[in-house]
Amino acid sequence: MQLTDSRTIKADINTVWSALLNADVLKECVPGCQEMAGSPETGFEAVVVQKVGPVKATFKGKVDLNDMNPPNSLTIEGAGKGGAAGFAKGAADVKLEADGDSTILHYDVEAKVGGKLAQLGSRIIDGFAKKMADEFFTRFQNALEEPEDDEQETDAEEETAKKGWFKRLVS
């Protein structure tokens, strides 16, 4: 499965770059992530719980950041084993482009699965992989962008409260 897309993030390129290297940001952005520890230099260890169709599994794996060209590009590579469910691995080539006060984040994602997961069929796997990538980059964008001034924080809008948390932290 391959997916290419881009997003405009209302944060400067250095803030976006810093967030890509931050274990706390990655943990918050990876759907189903229970644990994330490590550093950009040594890689990150992760535990992710996911349900794909009828298969639910806990994946334990490693995430490495490679081909780093600060603050312009990097490759995020991850692989995890989910016991009897099989394995998942993938990579995302990420390129950042400054655009005034914003940053355009371009990404090319490739994912592969094996074991019981692969038996589900390419349509289910491709849809799941696209959903995971979209959710990761949506959460990443939300972590960096400040909520709009006219947005009101209420219990029903809990996600709004999470918007911009990393940007506020480094500001």
Side-chain angles (χ1 to χ4, degrees), residues 6 38-39 46 69 79 81 103 113 118 134:
S6 64
S39 70
N69 176 18
K81 293 181 182 174
T103 302
V113 296
D134 285 344

Side-chain angles (χ1 to χ4, degrees), residues 10 22 25 29 69 102:
K10 296 175 188 165
N22 185 295
V25 174
C29 295
N69 176 18
S102 297

Side-chain angles (χ1 to χ4, degrees), residues 46-167:
V47 176
V48 177
V49 177
Q50 278 299 322
K51 184 173 187 218
V52 185
V55 179
K56 182 177 181 180
T58 299
F59 292 89
K60 294 181 180 180
K62 186 160 173 71
V63 177
D64 292 310
L65 304 180
N66 298 311
D67 303 325
M68 289 197 277
N69 176 18
N72 302 307
S73 64
L74 60 79
T75 299
I76 303 170
E77 295 179 295
K81 293 181 182 174
F87 70 88
K89 63 181 178 178
D93 289 322
V94 178
K95 292 180 180 57
L96 303 178
E97 177 185 339
D99 184 27
D101 291 340
S102 297
T103 302
I104 302 172
L105 183 147
H106 303 276
Y107 59 92
D108 294 310
V109 175
E110 184 175 352
K112 296 177 185 172
V113 296
K116 282 186 181 179
L117 289 174
Q119 296 171 0
L120 294 174
S122 64
R123 195 174 343 172
I124 291 173
I125 296 300
D126 288 355
F128 174 76
K130 181 180 181 339
K131 179 181 164 234
M132 287 283 290
D134 285 344
E135 192 170 334
F136 173 85
F137 286 107
T138 296
R139 288 177 173 195
F140 184 79
Q141 183 173 5
N142 287 343
L144 292 168
E145 292 184 346
E146 295 289 339
E148 299 296 323
D149 290 338
D150 60 347
E151 290 185 52
Q152 304 235 346
E153 291 183 22
T154 66
D155 291 337
E157 295 175 338
E158 186 177 315
E159 288 301 309
T160 302
K162 293 182 179 180
K163 278 194 128 192
W165 69 269
F166 181 76
K167 190 172 181 182

